[in-house]
Amino acid sequence: MTEDFETIKRLPPYVFAEVNKIKAEARKKGEDIIDLGMGNPDSPTPDYIIEKLVEASRNSKNHRYSVSKGIYKLRVAICNMYKRNYDVDLDPDSEAIVTMGIKEGLSHLMLATINKGDVAFVPNPSYPIHAYSVIIAGGDVRSIPLVPGEDFFENLMTALKQTWPKPKMIILSFPHNPTTITVDIDFFEKLVDFAKENGIYIIHDHAYADLTFDGYKSPSFLQAKGAKDVGVEFFTMSKSYSMAGFRVGYALGNQTLINALSRIKSYLDYGMFQPIQIASIIALNEEYKHDAISKMVEHYKKRRDVLIESFNNAGWHIEKPKATMFVWAKIPEHYLSAGIGSLEFSKMLLEKGKVAVSPGIGFGEYGDQYVRFALVENEMRIRQAAKGVKHFLNSQSDLHHA
């Protein structure tokens, strides 16, 4: 039997698996590992959403197949939310579709629109599926550095001049995972102008739309003038409503792209379990009654503040992010000068400090001087992690060993 699977061959080994293996082995030995690696929300979904889910689940009419593009009332609810929060008008029939989370929606959009050999621009570092959805669809990725001290648009223009065929689309996300970089509406206005001038689609992942701090509010890409002419925005219930396991997302905007995604999904699925969709309607429509999002934001802000303070006290100075549920931390300079990259550093931190993190190299080559902390442990455990970090940083034998 042949194993000539071209798509699988184009996918590299999963970098995070190496850290996960060491973590699993340590836990088998009974070691207490504080896991700040995967961004898996640990807070329970708000009660008002669960109550509706249970109620809808008891109705046998909701046990049948649903519809691949999502039930109409849910598409209306997400469009109403965009009008309420961003003053963006959307047609629930032609400019909105429900997806099984952003990863599914983005991957199927790429399958529907990317031809073999098509090029997509993706910031580097970036959330892995942004690049690998293109690879899975048979396209090629050109990395655009997204690093401190460099102008992203200058890097974009340089890449455009050096790339043939010209890119079909740009896939990006702000607030950004993993770097936590934020932008204002002027950035999106400039991006739309760039897309129109060069005939390029924009795909924007707005997963961390609501997880913003210190007075910063994240704009929607669709607020930019002409945005719907050139692209779509994805939004998810996972972070804002702590509904990660529900797998509810949306694609919104450009009718051509929404239609392409709708057509391919009509062949691939019948939509998610209908009670989940009904619960999502209630989540969106009644959020202001329950103040669910502001409670979630405060929850992550407290954890962010504790991590920054306690890690700084432990000797690791880290910039305070204005958004997301992550902290993007540059590896201390004396480790970098010793030639230690993010994967090796993460292994050392886990073995010596008993703290698991995500190595920056897993998000792209330009992330190799960083590691990512996910704010998925309570404040007490984060302070405990800081003690482990302090012990690790004070252990000079690690550098000699390396």
Side-chain angles (χ1 to χ4, degrees):
M1 298 288 288
T2 180
E3 293 187 15
D4 187 18
F5 305 143
E6 183 179 339
T7 299
I8 298 301
K9 287 179 180 177
R10 296 187 73 199
L11 298 175
Y14 194 56
V15 171
F16 305 118
E18 291 195 43
V19 176
N20 290 339
K21 183 180 178 182
I22 298 172
K23 178 177 66 180
E25 289 171 354
R27 283 179 167 167
K28 280 183 183 177
K29 297 175 185 175
E31 295 180 14
D32 180 20
I33 304 297
I34 300 172
D35 192 355
L36 302 176
M38 182 179 178
N40 193 359
D42 65 318
S43 301
T45 305
D47 288 342
Y48 77 103
I49 301 171
I50 296 299
E51 288 164 6
K52 193 64 181 181
L53 174 67
V54 172
E55 177 191 319
S57 297
R58 290 196 173 110
N59 185 342
S60 61
K61 289 182 180 179
N62 292 325
H63 298 172
R64 297 177 289 184
Y65 290 128
S66 187
V67 287
S68 61
K69 66 187 296 183
I71 59 177
Y72 179 71
K73 286 186 178 180
L74 179 53
R75 285 181 278 123
V76 169
I78 189 64
C79 291
N80 287 343
M81 185 275 273
Y82 261 72
K83 180 64 176 177
R84 194 166 61 235
N85 289 0
Y86 305 114
D87 197 25
V88 170
D89 292 305
L90 292 162
D91 179 353
D93 284 318
S94 62
E95 297 177 330
I97 186 171
V98 182
T99 64
M100 296 177 187
I102 291 178
K103 288 180 78 171
E104 177 272 315
L106 177 62
S107 298
H108 284 153
L109 179 60
M110 294 303 104
L111 282 174
T113 59
I114 290 288
N115 303 320
K116 189 170 184 178
D118 280 348
V119 175
F121 282 175
V122 181
N124 188 331
S126 198
Y127 186 52
I129 197 61
H130 292 171
Y132 292 115
S133 61
V134 178
I135 300 299
I136 290 167
D140 296 314
V141 173
R142 177 73 189 269
S143 292
I144 312 299
L146 182 65
V147 293
E150 293 189 20
D151 186 303
F152 179 74
F153 280 99
E154 284 186 16
N155 291 336
L156 201 57
M157 289 302 300
T158 300
L160 185 67
K161 292 174 185 176
Q162 297 173 348
T163 302
W164 184 261
K166 72 176 184 179
K168 178 173 274 189
M169 56 186 61
I170 303 171
I171 304 169
L172 70 178
S173 175
F174 294 103
H176 189 254
N177 176 16
T179 69
T180 75
I181 289 172
T182 56
V183 298
D184 57 24
I185 192 62
D186 290 344
F187 177 94
F188 288 135
E189 300 279 6
K190 193 172 179 180
L191 190 65
V192 169
D193 290 342
F194 176 85
K196 286 186 174 183
E197 288 169 11
N198 296 285
I200 300 171
Y201 282 118
I202 303 296
I203 314 298
H204 183 240
D205 175 351
H206 207 197
Y208 301 94
D210 297 307
L211 297 190
T212 60
F213 317 116
D214 307 330
Y216 172 73
K217 296 297 181 186
S218 177
S220 164
F221 160 71
L222 296 177
Q223 287 177 284
K225 184 180 178 181
K228 287 197 290 184
D229 297 334
V230 297
V232 296
E233 180 162 273
F234 283 92
F235 176 75
T236 173
M237 310 291 286
S238 295
K239 311 306 188 300
S240 302
Y241 298 90
S242 201
M243 293 171 65
F246 287 60
R247 310 311 304 132
V248 185
Y250 312 90
L252 307 155
N254 182 269
Q255 292 185 12
T256 301
L257 294 177
I258 296 298
N259 182 60
L261 180 54
S262 179
R263 285 194 65 186
I264 199 167
K265 279 177 65 63
S266 71
Y267 285 93
L268 294 169
D269 69 72
Y270 285 113
M272 67 197 70
F273 186 42
Q274 197 148 291
I276 289 176
Q277 299 187 62
I278 294 169
S280 299
I281 294 169
I282 297 302
L284 291 167
N285 288 348
E286 297 190 9
E287 190 280 316
Y288 289 99
K289 289 184 188 177
H290 302 273
D291 209 19
I293 291 176
S294 62
K295 291 175 183 176
M296 202 67 64
V297 170
E298 185 60 27
H299 167 78
Y300 283 114
K301 181 180 181 297
K302 286 179 180 177
R303 292 181 176 187
R304 178 205 66 167
D305 292 346
V306 167
L307 188 145
I308 296 296
E309 178 192 6
S310 61
F311 278 46
N312 281 346
N313 290 339
W316 192 350
H317 177 71
I318 301 171
E319 295 293 325
K320 184 181 284 190
K322 290 195 294 184
T324 79
M325 59 182 291
F326 303 111
V327 172
W328 186 239
K330 191 168 187 180
I331 297 169
E333 192 58 45
H334 57 286
Y335 287 91
L336 293 175
S337 60
I340 296 171
S342 61
L343 182 56
E344 184 64 22
F345 181 84
S346 298
K347 291 178 182 178
M348 293 163 61
L349 180 58
L350 200 159
E351 291 169 350
K352 301 293 184 181
K354 310 305 176 187
V355 179
V357 299
S358 294
I361 189 68
F363 303 98
E365 295 82 357
Y366 288 93
D368 199 25
Q369 293 189 343
Y370 296 81
V371 295
R372 191 195 72 180
F373 296 94
L375 301 172
V376 293
E377 290 277 8
N378 63 42
E379 288 103 288
M380 184 184 74
R381 292 283 282 172
I382 290 172
R383 292 187 190 280
Q384 185 181 340
K387 291 178 182 178
V389 165
K390 186 174 184 178
H391 170 76
F392 164 67
L393 294 178
N394 289 338
S395 177
Q396 294 300 314
S397 61
D398 291 332
L399 288 181
H400 297 313
H401 176 70

